[in-house]
Amino acid sequence: MDEYWNHKNKKEITRETIIGLGENSFKKNYYSELQTKLLDLERINSRTRALIATIPDILLISNGEGQITPLNPSLNTGSYALLEIMRSQILMADLKQVINLVMRTRVLSDYYFSMTFKDSLHYFEVRVQISSFDEVLIMIRDMTERVIMEKKLRDLVDKDTLTHIANRRFFEAELEQLNNREIKNLTILLLDIDGLKFVNDTLGHLLGDQVIVSASQVIGRCFQALGIVSRIGGDEFGVIVKNQPSDIIESALEKMNSHLKCLNELPDATFKISLSYGYSYHPCGLVNTNFLFQEADNNMYQNKLLKESSTRNNLVKTLMKALEAKDYVTEGHTSRMDTLATLIGQALRLPQNVMDRIQLLTKFHDIGKVGIPDSILKKPSALTPDEWKVMKTHCAIGERIANESSELKDISHLILKHQEKWDGTGYPLGLAGEDIPIECRVLSIVDSYDAMTNDRPYRGALSPETAINEIVSCAGSQFDPGMVKIFCKVIEQHLRPQQ
C-alpha cells in the first residue's frame, strides 16, 4: 500500500491507469465491464453533485459519532441561515437527539423549529434519513413563506376582515367543540353596539365601521386575555371564556365600561359608543352550549332595554309614559327606586344580569295596574275586602302583559311575585324566605321606602327616619332581614349628602 501511494505521487491516477489503458497503467488489463461501471458511477456522481447544487434546502451530514457538517456549503440562499443554525448550540443539541433516535430506530424522522435572523422569524422543517453506511443525511427546508401563507389563509377563514378578530364561523365551531362535554367555569358573553343602525343611516357606514372597530378594540383589550373574542354579526360580538369564575367576568365588564367612558369623553368622539351585554355562566357538569348562548342572548336584550341609546329602549319609554299618564306610576317613582335598588345590588355584589332584571322590575312591576279600575287605584281611603281582591289581581295581569312582550318575558315571573312577603303572608302564591326571588326581595324594600316617603292619595309623605324605622320593624315578617341590614347601610350613605 505504501508503495502504491509513493507511486501515486509520481504518476497521475486516472480512469485509464486504473482499468489498464495507456502506457502509464499499472496493469495492462482490459475490463470493459469495469469501464462501463465506472462511467455509470461518474455519471451518477455528477448528477448527485448537480442535484445538491440546485437544492435550495440546507443539507447536513452526520457520521456515526454525531459529528455534523454541511453537505452543500456553497449554498447561496441558505448560507446565512446555515451559519446561524450551526452556531445555535441548543438547535444542534436537538438535532443530535433526533439523529440518535434515527440511528436506534432506523426510521425516517421529522423535526420542526423556528429561529430569528435578519430581524424576522423563520420557520424550518427538518427531515432526517439514515444511509446503509450509517451516515445520517439532514435536510433543512425554510418553510417561512408557506407558514405565512397558511396563516393568511387561516385568517381569511377564521377572522373578521374589518376588526381582525375571530369571526362567527370560528365562534360557532368553538361552541360545537365544547357542546356536551364535562366543563367547569364556562362563560358565553354576548355584546351588541347600541344605535349602530342610526349611525349608519345618518352619519354613514364609514363612521359605522369606525365605531365597530373601536368597540372591538375595547372588548379585545378587556377579554382577549381571558378567552376567544369574535364578531358574530354586524354589530354583535361574542366571547367564550373557559376556566374563569363569574366574578372575573364581572370585573372585566367593569373594566370595559371604564374604557368606554374614557373613549366617549375624548374631545374628537363623534359618536358615544354604548354596548349592551349579557352572559351565561356554567359552573360545572355537562354543558349545553345552545342553551348557554340563548340565555346570554336573552340577558343581553334585557340589558339593551335599559340603554338610552338602544332602539329597544323606546318600548320602555313608551310604556312608562303610558303608565305615568294614567297615574299608575307617579313621576320619579321608578327612577328613585332604580337608584336605591342599584345601590343595594352593588352592596350585594349581584351579577349584571340580576341587576338588569331588578332595574326592569322597578319600572314594570306595577304594569298590571292598567287592568285595575281607577276607582280602586285612586281611592283616597282604605280599600274594602272586595276591592283588595281586585287590587291583588294586578300581579297576575302584569305577568300576562309581560309574557306577551318578547322584551319583558324574562321578568314576567318576577312581576307575578313582587308582592310576596318573607314570612309567607304575601300574594298571590304565598312564597316565603329565599323561595322569593332576590329581585323581588330588593324591590319590596325600595318600593315600600319610596311609597312611604312620598305623597299618596290616602296619606302624606313620611320622613325618611320614620320610613326606615318602619322597614326595620318589619324585618323577618314582610322583608328579608339580611336585606334590611344592607338597606340601612345603603340608605344612610345615600341620605348623608342630602342632609
Side-chain angles (χ1 to χ4, degrees), residues 3 12 20 44 46 61 79 81 120 160 165 198 212 221 226 246 294 313-314 344 367 444 447 465 489 496-497:
E3 180 183 350
E12 181 183 1
I44 292 171
S46 177
I61 194 166
S79 58
S120 62
D160 176 60
I165 60 176
F198 173 79
I212 292 171
R221 198 175 299 133
L226 297 177
S246 58
Q294 188 59 54
N313 185 257
N314 291 333
I344 293 175
I367 193 173
S444 177
D447 190 17
E465 293 77 12
K489 293 179 182 178
R496 190 177 299 155

Side-chain angles (χ1 to χ4, degrees), residues 199-324:
V199 176
N200 287 331
D201 292 345
T202 57
L203 303 177
H205 286 269
L206 185 60
L207 181 61
D209 287 348
Q210 292 176 5
V211 170
I212 292 171
V213 171
S214 296
S216 72
Q217 290 172 346
V218 171
I219 296 169
R221 198 175 299 133
C222 300
F223 289 98
Q224 200 83 58
L226 297 177
I228 299 169
V229 178
S230 308
R231 184 185 178 200
I232 60 176
D235 56 358
E236 195 168 351
F237 299 86
V239 183
I240 301 173
V241 180
K242 293 180 281 189
N243 303 318
Q244 296 291 345
S246 58
D247 58 337
I248 296 296
I249 306 300
E250 291 289 335
S251 298
L253 287 171
E254 290 178 10
K255 180 181 176 183
M256 183 190 75
N257 287 329
S258 298
H259 281 305
L260 283 175
K261 184 178 179 181
C262 294
L263 185 65
N264 291 332
E265 289 175 351
L266 293 175
D268 59 344
T270 307
F271 175 76
K272 295 188 182 300
I273 301 175
S274 172
L275 291 173
S276 296
Y277 49 84
Y279 69 86
S280 181
Y281 173 69
H282 173 80
C284 60
L286 199 66
V287 65
N288 183 329
T289 54
N290 294 325
F291 171 78
L292 281 183
F293 184 92
Q294 188 59 54
E295 186 177 50
D297 194 55
N298 292 340
N299 289 336
M300 182 189 70
Y301 280 108
Q302 176 181 272
N303 183 253
K304 187 173 280 289
L305 285 173
L306 300 168
K307 297 298 179 69
E308 289 291 329
S309 55
S310 167
T311 54
R312 288 178 175 264
N313 185 257
N314 291 333
L315 171 71
V316 175
K317 294 176 182 176
T318 302
L319 288 175
M320 292 308 298
K321 286 180 180 178
L323 292 173
E324 289 174 1

